[in-house]
Amino acid sequence: MSVFAVAMDRIFMHASMAAPALWISATTSEERPIRIIRRAPDRVTDFGAGRFVSDTTVVDVRVADLPAPRPGDVIVIGADSHVIQGEPLRDRERLIWTLDLRPA
């Protein structure tokens, strides 16, 4: 295991950095507890002469916790359910998934 992988494991286990969540498969209804780092950046979209700002929810999940997320899978964070939209993206080191979510 690389030093970077060990650092990522520590970050995801730290209570101030990551939060518990539940992944539910859209195809098999399999459930798995995961740890996430939640981000909520504003997304700016240009349309003609106007610009629209929209809220987004993006989470990072370790590949070791969730080997194959798919669009349509559900992520439950606390009492809120979110659906993965778009294709999940992995980082350069292939350790972290970035998932774009929408409210369920």
Side-chain angles (χ1 to χ4, degrees):
M1 185 179 279
S2 72
V3 174
F4 189 72
V6 171
M8 288 285 85
D9 287 344
R10 286 189 177 190
I11 289 170
F12 273 88
M13 294 313 295
H14 197 282
S16 297
M17 296 291 292
L22 180 68
W23 167 81
I24 303 170
S25 172
T27 55
T28 64
S29 298
E30 175 188 354
E31 296 183 2
R32 178 180 301 176
I34 58 174
R35 302 233 358 127
I36 62 165
I37 295 177
R38 187 174 183 173
R39 298 182 280 139
D42 287 340
R43 184 170 289 154
V44 177
T45 306
D46 293 325
F47 184 77
R51 294 180 69 174
F52 298 95
V53 178
S54 58
D55 295 333
T56 63
T57 301
V58 178
V59 296
D60 292 331
V61 180
R62 291 183 300 179
V63 171
D65 288 347
L66 192 56
R70 299 277 182 246
D73 290 352
V74 176
I75 305 286
V76 179
I77 307 167
D80 299 325
S81 295
H82 302 275
V83 176
I84 298 173
Q85 64 181 1
E87 287 297 321
L89 302 172
R90 284 188 292 180
D91 68 332
R92 185 180 75 180
E93 303 295 325
R94 303 290 193 227
L95 298 173
I96 307 297
W97 287 109
T98 298
L99 308 175
D100 188 12
L101 305 179
R102 65 174 170 78

